[in-house]
Amino acid sequence: MNTRLTSVTVASLLAVGVALTPATASAGVRVCTLPGSPTTALDRAVAREVFRTAGIAATFNTRGVDDNGDDDGISASELTKSLERDCDVIAGFPRSAIADASGSKMTFSQGYLRSGYVSVSLRDAPAPSGAKETIAATYGSPSQLIAAQQTNARFDLENTSEKTIGALAAGRAQRAIVWYPSVVAYERAHPKQRFQVAATSSPYSDWQLSFAFGPGKDALQQRIDATLSQLSGNGRLASLTRGWTLPDGIAQAAATRVPGRFLDGAIASAQRPGFIKVSTSEGSGVPSFDQAQVQHGKKLYGDACAKCHGDQLEGNTAPALSGESFAPEGKSHITVGGIFLYMSSNMPADRPGKMTAQEYEDLMAFLLYSNGYDASKSKLTAEIANASKAPLIAGPRK
C-alpha cells in the first residue's frame, strides 16, 4: 500500500492505532492489553507474573475501548476514559522521550522492556547499488517518520508492522523500518524467515513498554513499580523478556542516542510553534521575493524536502505543498507568516530548524513561486516573512 501522510497524531505514537482489550471483571484489578501489538503475549506474561508476585488478584478484560467510531487511532483522552470505565491498568503501554503521555491523566510504572525501531533487510541481500532503494514503513507511526529521514529513498507504506515486514519478505522493498518486537513476532510466525537487523539513528527510535494506570491508582502504581524492581533484581524479568530485547550491538547504539523531541508540528513541544496560524483578516499583500531566491530555494527543496513532499510538491509521505490539497482558493486561511514560522522551526524533519535564515527565506520564495506568485526585484527576508499576515492561496504555476 502506498498512501499519503496527512498528519501523525498522538494516538499513532502512543497506541499504534490499535484498540484496548478489556472485560468487565468480577473481582480484582482489571488489566487491559493492546491486542494489535506484537508484544501482546509478552505483556500478558509479564502482567501475570507481576500481579502474582505482588499478591494482587487480576483479570484480563475483553471489551474494546470507545474510539468514537472513527478510524484515526486512539487518543490519550480516549485511553483515559477507558481506564476510568473499564480498566485499572494497561499492560504494554509504549512510551519514549518524545511521547511520554505526561500531559494525560495517566500515571506509569517503570519500563519492563526497552526496545526500539530498527532497519531490517533480508539476509544475504546484495549491497546497495547507489540507486534509490525502496523502504517499507508503517503508515502513521514512528516507523514512517524514521523512514522519511533516510536519504536516496522511495517509500512503500503499509497499514501494520506485519505487512511492512511482509513487503520486505516479498521483495517489494529493500529495507523496512519497524519496531524490533515486530521482527521477533514475524520470525516466530514464519520460522524459515530470518532478517538482518541494524540500529536506526533517530529521536523516534527508542521506546519502552510499561504499565499505565488510570486516575486514583497511585497506590497500585507504587506496588507494581516495587514488584518490577524486585523481578528485575532477581532475574525473573530478564527471563520473561528474553528474546524480545534488542541484540547487544543495537542496544548499545540505542543507549548512546541523544533523547529526542517531537518534530511534527501537531505534537511539538510548547516552546516550538505547532500549527500553521490562521489569518483573521486579509492583511497586507504577499511579500516580495526575487528570482535568485527561487532558483536557490528550488535546489534546497530538491535536496532536503522532495523525498517527503514530492518532486513536484505533490506530496509523498508528507503533505502536498501546492494545489487544492494545500491551500484551496476561497477556503485557505493559512498565512505566509504562519507557514514560514512552522517551516523554519520544524523542518526539515531530520534537521528541524537547522537550516540558515537565508535557506529558509529562499525555500519560502520557491514555495510562493510554485503556488503561482511572481518574482520581483525585492528579496524576501525572514523578518518580513514572519510578520506577514497575508493568506496564501495556492495555484500551481502553469
Side-chain angles (χ1 to χ4, degrees):
M1 171 185 175
N2 289 285
T3 187
R4 178 178 297 168
L5 171 67
T6 53
S7 65
V8 179
T9 64
V10 175
S12 69
L13 292 173
L14 296 184
V16 202
V18 297
L20 290 175
T21 303
T24 304
S26 57
V29 173
R30 302 165 301 169
V31 181
C32 301
T33 59
L34 299 170
S37 168
T39 61
T40 298
L42 170 67
D43 300 329
R44 285 175 172 262
V46 171
R48 288 191 189 98
E49 184 65 14
V50 167
F51 283 95
R52 184 193 67 78
T53 303
I56 301 172
T59 305
F60 286 92
N61 294 340
T62 55
R63 176 181 167 178
V65 67
D66 181 8
D67 63 354
N68 297 321
D70 54 33
D71 60 357
D72 60 353
I74 304 169
S75 70
S77 63
E78 289 161 354
L79 286 170
T80 301
K81 288 179 182 177
S82 185
L83 281 165
E84 292 172 343
R85 182 192 62 211
D86 303 310
C87 314
D88 299 305
V89 59
I90 301 170
F93 193 92
R95 301 182 77 208
S96 80
I98 60 170
D100 62 4
S102 58
S104 72
K105 296 180 181 179
M106 295 180 285
T107 57
F108 305 91
S109 73
Q110 61 184 273
Y112 59 80
L113 175 71
R114 184 182 182 188
S115 196
Y117 280 81
V118 293
S119 175
V120 185
S121 58
L122 294 175
R123 288 191 175 180
D124 303 320
S129 63
K132 279 189 176 181
E133 63 176 344
T134 299
I135 299 177
T138 308
Y139 174 75
S141 77
S143 162
Q144 185 177 2
L145 295 174
I146 296 168
Q149 297 172 18
Q150 310 301 302
T151 58
N152 199 30
R154 61 175 64 88
F155 307 104
D156 181 312
L157 299 182
E158 304 289 341
N159 279 332
T160 67
S161 58
E162 182 180 9
K163 290 182 178 180
T164 300
I165 301 174
L168 172 64
R172 298 196 304 275
Q174 286 76 57
R175 280 199 293 144
I177 305 294
V178 290
W179 193 41
Y180 180 69
S182 301
V183 181
V184 175
Y186 192 94
E187 289 184 339
R188 290 184 177 185
H190 304 82
K192 295 183 179 180
Q193 184 73 68
R194 290 293 182 267
F195 301 98
Q196 296 183 89
V197 178
T200 60
S201 179
S202 169
Y204 301 106
S205 294
D206 195 19
W207 293 75
Q208 63 178 338
L209 296 179
S210 63
F211 291 95
F213 304 86
K217 298 295 188 295
D218 292 350
L220 177 61
Q221 182 262 325
Q222 292 169 14
R223 288 184 67 182
I224 297 305
D225 249 352
T227 305
L228 283 170
S229 294
Q230 178 184 342
L231 294 176
S232 179
N234 64 23
R236 180 59 180 153
L237 189 59
S239 177
L240 285 168
T241 59
R242 186 173 295 119
W244 294 94
T245 55
L246 288 167
D248 288 343
I250 299 175
Q252 291 169 8
T256 60
R257 193 175 290 127
V258 177
R261 55 176 172 76
F262 276 129
L263 309 184
D264 182 82
I267 41 182
S269 66
Q271 287 73 34
R272 305 189 73 83
F275 296 98
I276 292 176
K277 292 183 179 179
V278 176
S279 174
T280 56
S281 64
E282 289 293 318
S284 59
V286 170
S288 300
F289 54 91
D290 67 25
Q291 192 63 38
Q293 289 184 296
V294 172
Q295 293 305 313
H296 186 222
K298 181 178 181 179
K299 182 181 184 304
L300 291 170
Y301 178 88
D303 292 340
C305 313
K307 65 181 178 182
C308 296
H309 292 282
D311 292 339
Q312 305 300 320
L313 294 85
E314 76 278 12
N316 183 14
T317 61
L321 295 178
S322 68
E324 284 290 307
S325 61
F326 175 52
E329 184 175 359
K331 298 178 182 178
S332 173
H333 297 287
I334 59 175
T335 66
V336 172
I339 295 170
F340 185 84
L341 182 61
Y342 178 85
M343 175 180 68
S344 60
S345 300
N346 295 282
M347 295 292 143
D350 55 349
R351 294 186 299 119
K354 298 302 183 183
M355 287 185 165
T356 66
Q358 181 184 343
E359 287 173 330
Y360 284 118
E361 291 162 0
D362 294 353
L363 273 171
M364 190 71 219
F366 173 67
L367 182 63
L368 290 170
Y369 182 82
S370 299
N371 279 282
Y373 295 90
D374 292 324
S376 69
K377 295 182 179 180
S378 300
K379 281 190 173 294
L380 176 67
T381 67
E383 182 178 2
I384 292 172
N386 266 322
S388 176
K389 298 184 182 301
L392 190 154
I393 307 300
R397 180 165 293 280
K398 304 299 184 183

